[in-house]
Every structure is written in C-alpha cells, then in structure tokens.
Amino acid sequence: MASEKPTSDSIQAFEILKDIKPKFAMINEKDFFEHKFTGLKDLPYLDREDVTLYCLTEEEFIFVRTTPGVNIFDTEEYPFVYNIQHKSAEEMLIASHEAVYQYLKTKPERDGSNIAYLHNPGRCGSTLVANMVSKTKQCEVQSEPTPVLNLSLIFNKKDQPVTRESREYLDLIKATFLLLCPDVNKKYFIKPWGIETMSLFPLLHQALPGIKEMLMCRDVRPTVLSFKKLIPEQIYKSIIPMKMSIQPPNYRDLWEKVKRGEGDPDEAFCFFILSTYHAYMEETRDRDDIKSYSYESLIEHKELFTKSFLKEIGVEEEYVQAAMSALEVDSQAKSSSHNQKRTAGVKASVSDETMEWAVKLAKEEFGIELEGEKGRVHNMPHQWNKV
C-alpha cells in the first residue's frame, strides 16, 4: 500500500513489523523500525494515552503507540524512556509540524507551569534524582526523552549558535514539551540527555515562561572518570570527533582553538562538562530562577538536599522519605547500557596534567574557577547548600 501524504488535519499511520534498532543508540529515528503504511488517521488519535511523542525532525513529529499495560514512564523499571518506548512500540505515527500546531490550538493554552526540567552534563547524579522524584509518585518522570535531544541537535547543527533572539524556534520548543507533557492535571519532571542539550538554556524559558528549570552539577574530575568507566575504551578514544560535531557551533569553534594536538579524550570531556556550566552561567547572568544542585551536596546532606529539591519542583515535604528510598538502590540497575555491570572493576584515571589544562581553560575561556584536585566549580551561581 503506497504511503499517502498527510494533510493539515491528518497523520500517517504505520504498523511496526520489526524492531531493527541496536541495543543502544544515541538517537531514535523512524528508520530503526521496519514498518508498513496502513493509512491516515485524524489528529485526535494523538489524544490516546498509549500514543506518545517518540522523536522529531526539522519537518515532522513522530509518535508511537505502545503495548497496552506498559508504563513507559516507570523509571524504576525502565530508567531511560527511549529504550522501553522503542521496545514496546506497535504503531508509528507521523505528522507535520503544521498539523501538530493545529492540533495543539484545540487544547487549553499553557505556559509549562506543570513542568520541571533538570539541565545536566551527564554522569552527575541526574538519573538518581529523577528516580527520587519518581518515588514520590507526584510527577510523571521522563528520563532522557529523545525529542528533547532532537531539538538540541537541530539547533546545534546551525552555523550560528541559538540565542534569546532565536525566536523562530519557540513554537517548535513549546509544541515538543506540550506533547511530552500533555495532561494539564499532572506534574512532569524531565531529565534530558546531558552535554548536547545545552542549547536549550536561552530558549526554554521564552517558549514556556512557567517552566521550572534547575541544573545538576558535579566536580569535573569524577564526572570525566564516570564517562571514562562507562564508555568502552576503544570507543572512548575515538568518539570525540562525533561528539564534538553535535555541539553548538560556538563550542565547536572554541574546541578547535584550545585542543592540544588531535584532541585528548579526557580533555574533551572536561571541555564538554565545562561548556554546559558555561552555558548555564551565561543564561543566569540576569536570572536568579535556575537553582543549581550538586551531586556532592546530595551525598553529604541527603535529607536537606531532598527537601530543597522537592520544594523547588512543587512536591510536598511529606514525600521526602519516599524520595530518599531511591538512594538505597542503583538508579540504573535495569538499564542494559548504563548499569554498574559496565563499570564495576573498571580502572580509570584522569591525570593531574589534564586537570591543570582544565583549570586553565575554565578560567581563561569560560570565567569558571575550579578548585581542589577534583575540580569543583567555586563560582557556580545560585547553588543550593545546606545553609
């Protein structure tokens, strides 16, 4: 059956015949499915609870209908939403941007006030925090939804970095988040992919003035070590050109200026982490509403951290103990690609020379002051502490 073009009030439907996606992939796309066109459906089909936004391109939104009874937002069972969303998909649905904008016009106007969003550089305890929020049962938690990554990659491949003046992207950002968080009566908590998603800093609040943003951070050296233990050695050594190619253009250009030789991978991951903190610091020059939380403060002051964080996202203090129960288990134990089986016994180190390079880079290029052998950001703004 030939594929019919969708209209402004219809979507294409495809039966999923086979999952051909590898066990772990960075970006979920429709080509990871073997599929057969089955016809056109009306836009209200998107109202179904088992239909969720799967990914997006510069032209289309792609949804999937998943197996009945599978709660793809159960982070305890499925730490990363993209894995279970793909595994349980039974039908794929494709709509143009304009069709989706028309669909959203039929819904109540929203400013994102029921959404909390945790910026992070990766390997910083953000998945643990997402599990803590999930344990309260007060928010629908989405850990690493692919559409947020897709948004960022669309922006990152432009010749110029997005800024607050890049208002042409606001409709796309707003539509993406409203599709991810469709129920006006629920609270949502989104923990995105790290590193690549920093380009959302200057635009998210403009698209959704009510959204609550936070940053999760961690000392630089242990963050790099965590990446180094997670990623297989041969991939870690060769991944930098690919990872750098999907960074915002201003940071890509800066890397070419500061890298030594072909670019050491440890130094590159220091650069990725510091770039995220720099993007945060740039956005908060005239904003005081994006609080930063550190992994170290979570470990040292568990209960006080939890009380403050839950208050920040609008969850009552009575759920503190429920949230803290997540600290008793490995937050990624059921992830096929991220669990501790991958990192247990792996020996890795980050040299003092690398950290000296990172300290110099942080100060001279980013205005960031690193202190101590672990590389703690001394001048991180709006940071929570136990006081």
Side-chain angles (χ1 to χ4, degrees):
M1 184 177 183
S3 175
E4 300 177 42
K5 290 186 177 181
T7 64
S8 61
D9 58 357
S10 68
I11 50 181
Q12 293 173 310
F14 299 82
E15 178 187 359
I16 294 174
L17 304 175
K18 185 180 179 182
D19 173 0
I20 58 174
K21 171 179 171 286
K23 288 185 178 180
F24 178 76
M26 184 171 174
I27 308 169
N28 292 359
E29 297 287 1
K30 58 189 177 186
D31 291 339
F32 285 130
F33 295 124
E34 184 178 307
H35 51 274
K36 179 180 72 174
F37 178 70
T38 56
L40 297 178
K41 292 185 181 292
D42 294 332
L43 285 172
Y45 191 76
L46 299 179
D47 290 337
R48 292 177 56 130
E49 288 190 1
D50 56 358
V51 171
T52 53
L53 183 62
Y54 174 69
C55 63
L56 64 104
T57 70
E58 292 193 71
E59 295 82 30
E60 301 167 328
F61 288 96
I62 298 152
F63 304 79
V64 290
R65 178 178 55 77
T66 49
T67 304
V70 175
N71 179 9
I72 65 172
F73 305 117
D74 181 353
T75 59
E76 187 172 351
E77 187 68 24
Y78 314 115
F80 302 102
V81 65
Y82 59 88
N83 277 335
I84 186 58
Q85 196 178 27
H86 187 97
K87 184 178 179 180
S88 61
E90 295 186 351
E91 184 179 34
M92 181 170 66
L93 306 149
I94 299 178
S96 69
H97 288 183
E98 288 307 315
V100 167
Y101 296 157
Q102 287 297 117
Y103 166 74
L104 290 174
K105 286 180 181 178
T106 68
K107 307 297 179 184
E109 180 62 27
R110 295 162 57 200
D111 67 355
S113 57
N114 63 332
I115 305 172
Y117 182 88
L118 185 63
H119 298 278
N120 71 92
R123 310 307 296 171
C124 61
S126 55
T127 301
L128 173 58
V129 170
N131 270 11
M132 292 171 69
V133 175
S134 181
K135 285 284 190 181
T136 70
K137 308 297 184 185
Q138 299 304 296
C139 299
E140 183 170 274
V141 174
Q142 300 194 29
S143 186
E144 302 189 3
T146 300
V148 176
L149 176 62
N150 295 145
L151 268 181
S152 302
L153 296 185
I154 288 171
F155 303 152
N156 292 354
K157 72 179 183 180
K158 305 297 183 183
D159 292 333
Q160 297 295 322
V162 296
T163 67
R164 291 181 181 178
E165 305 306 314
S166 306
R167 302 187 63 83
E168 65 272 24
Y169 301 122
L170 297 186
D171 286 344
L172 183 59
I173 294 171
K174 183 174 182 178
T176 300
F177 277 81
L178 295 187
L179 291 168
L180 286 171
C181 310
D183 191 335
V184 296
N185 297 312
K186 285 184 179 179
K187 292 179 181 178
Y188 292 88
F189 181 85
I190 295 178
K191 192 277 291 189
W193 294 70
I195 297 180
E196 292 85 10
T197 53
M198 69 183 86
S199 53
L200 286 177
F201 270 116
L203 296 174
L204 195 51
H205 180 70
Q206 291 195 77
L208 295 163
I211 196 169
K212 188 63 182 179
E213 300 174 75
M214 294 137 299
L215 171 74
M216 192 73 187
C217 58
R218 186 182 184 184
D219 294 351
V220 173
R221 187 176 224 152
T223 311
V224 175
L225 276 172
S226 187
F227 276 114
K228 198 170 185 178
K229 288 180 178 181
L230 170 72
I231 303 170
E233 184 177 2
Q234 291 306 313
I235 297 177
Y236 184 80
K237 290 180 178 179
S238 61
I239 199 174
I240 300 310
M242 183 278 288
K243 295 289 282 185
M244 200 61 68
S245 71
I246 55 177
Q247 300 304 305
N250 51 323
Y251 293 109
R252 294 199 305 265
D253 292 343
L254 180 58
W255 172 247
E256 291 303 313
K257 170 187 171 183
V258 301
K259 71 178 182 180
R260 300 194 290 186
E262 294 301 312
D264 177 79
D266 287 357
E267 293 178 359
F269 274 94
C270 287
F271 181 89
F272 293 144
I273 296 159
L274 290 168
S275 296
T276 302
Y277 298 159
H278 176 255
Y280 166 73
M281 294 170 80
E282 286 293 292
E283 179 60 16
T284 54
R285 285 181 181 275
D286 59 357
R287 292 180 61 187
D288 60 4
D289 58 339
I290 311 181
K291 190 173 289 186
S292 59
Y293 288 85
S294 75
Y295 176 75
E296 290 76 20
S297 63
L298 167 59
I299 298 305
E300 187 174 353
H301 307 289
K302 296 179 177 64
E303 186 169 350
L304 292 174
F305 177 104
T306 306
K307 286 180 179 179
S308 175
F309 195 90
L310 293 186
K311 181 179 180 181
E312 193 72 7
I313 64 173
V315 174
E316 299 297 325
E317 191 171 316
E318 66 185 276
Y319 298 102
V320 166
Q321 293 306 314
M324 290 180 63
S325 68
L327 299 170
E328 300 169 6
V329 297
D330 173 16
S331 61
Q332 302 184 15
K334 295 190 178 182
S335 166
S336 61
S337 56
H338 290 69
N339 64 37
Q340 289 187 348
K341 293 177 182 178
R342 287 275 298 276
T343 58
V346 176
K347 294 183 179 179
S349 63
V350 176
S351 70
D352 290 342
E353 181 184 1
T354 293
M355 290 307 299
E356 290 170 4
W357 177 89
V359 169
K360 185 173 185 290
L361 167 75
K363 183 176 182 180
E364 294 183 356
E365 301 294 343
F366 295 141
I368 295 174
E369 300 172 17
L370 296 184
E371 62 180 13
E373 65 175 23
K374 292 185 176 181
R376 180 162 300 179
V377 178
H378 175 66
N379 59 329
M380 184 72 79
H382 315 303
Q383 187 160 18
W384 175 85
N385 58 58
K386 63 174 182 166
V387 178

